Amino acid sequence: MALQATFIHAADLHLGAPFRGLRALSPRWADRLTEAIPEAFDRLIATAIERKVDFMVLAGDIFDLSRPSYRDVLHFANGMAQLREAGIPVYFCTGNHDPYASWKTDYLDPPEGTYLFSAEAPSFFAHMRDGQPLVLLGGRGFYNRVVPADVDLAKGITRAAAMKALGMEAPFTVGVLHTGLNLDPNKAPTDPTELLSSGIDYWACGHIHQPWLDSRRNPRIGFSGCIQGRDIKETGPRGCCCVTLSEGARNRVEFVPLASVVWQKLQVDLGECTTLPQAHDTIMRTLFEANGHAHCEEMVARLILSGKTPLHRLLVQPGVLDDLRNQLNEAYPVFFVDTLVDRTQPDVSRASLKEEGLFEATLLRRSKALGKDDEAAIAYLQDEFLARGLQLPNRTVRHLRRLEKEAEQLVLDLLDGSRS
């Protein structure tokens, strides 16, 4: 049987990170999310022990702050103690949230059984099995919160450099970095082609919160993502990677979900709905289906309502969306809808409005004409924002066409309401 090494690759634990935006909507869910990151960390430790891996790699941002609370430091130390008792060492580097300068103080002294890569230069460790070198590990972390633009953290981390520094050979080599790679050029970027030519078997990376692999067939660069999503920007399953290196074979990387609460952004088509109870049932079916694929216990969802429906006239009325959201949140305690966004359309076509020849027809013709000149539209918006002492947001320019349609529909809705 070919020689193998198995390890857990995790990053961006962000112990102590706050959850923003839910306190005003639901104190209960705000309190629930406060415990979600510690729970995900506990699952990370349990996963490593249950799978009896050779070691664990943490690729930076263990803590959310450079001076974390005593509670978070103790929680991390207790997790490391469990791994030490199970014979699982931990190799880790620092990230921009918990830079090396903080770990050099007694306040953040690396626990026993853990090995911290230097941030001043590449450093190396050898993981042994039965007295023989199994894996050579090389890495480098953030010294301060920002890495200078002329510093490449990956420079000098190669198989040859590891062998020379440690004075030994081993079947496998692993690199550990907190980097934006070429996915985020603002945070310690490095060239993936350089990593792939380094002789390193697998690069365990942190900083990118979304799970990512450079290749499905034989991944050699990976981001495990964060272990628990913190807001609606971090949707979908979150967890760690279980990596298996085998002599003469391709690498195997298995994603292991850890998050107890998953964030989702879902679109719900209400085109077949004519009543609010029907809309409620359609939304609940969508939530259950998403939850079934999310590998989690609980879910926070932002819902985009779409489709042409006679319900549109009701949904635009004040208070209706809030009432519907409250009903959904009372129905099943494992789901929380933080926002309902109405992007439905009336079941009356714009073509028929144009044929009627009323004010709506004039509005639609004018809107179509304006939609053909982006420069004029942006200049008009710029003037309107400046007149109010505001700066035109970049996202307004990026989503100009959609915002024009929404504004057009808003005016049509107001006209429709004035006739009722």
Side-chain angles (χ1 to χ4, degrees), residues 2-4 172 201 218 244-252:
L3 187 63
Q4 291 186 337
F172 309 109
D201 294 302
N218 184 28
T244 301
L245 308 177
S246 302
E247 278 191 316
R250 295 169 177 165
N251 299 336
R252 296 202 312 270

Side-chain angles (χ1 to χ4, degrees), residues 142-162:
F142 275 61
Y143 189 88
N144 294 310
R145 292 184 64 87
V146 178
V147 172
D150 60 345
V151 173
D152 183 352
L153 294 181
K155 187 175 181 179
I157 304 175
T158 65
R159 175 186 287 270

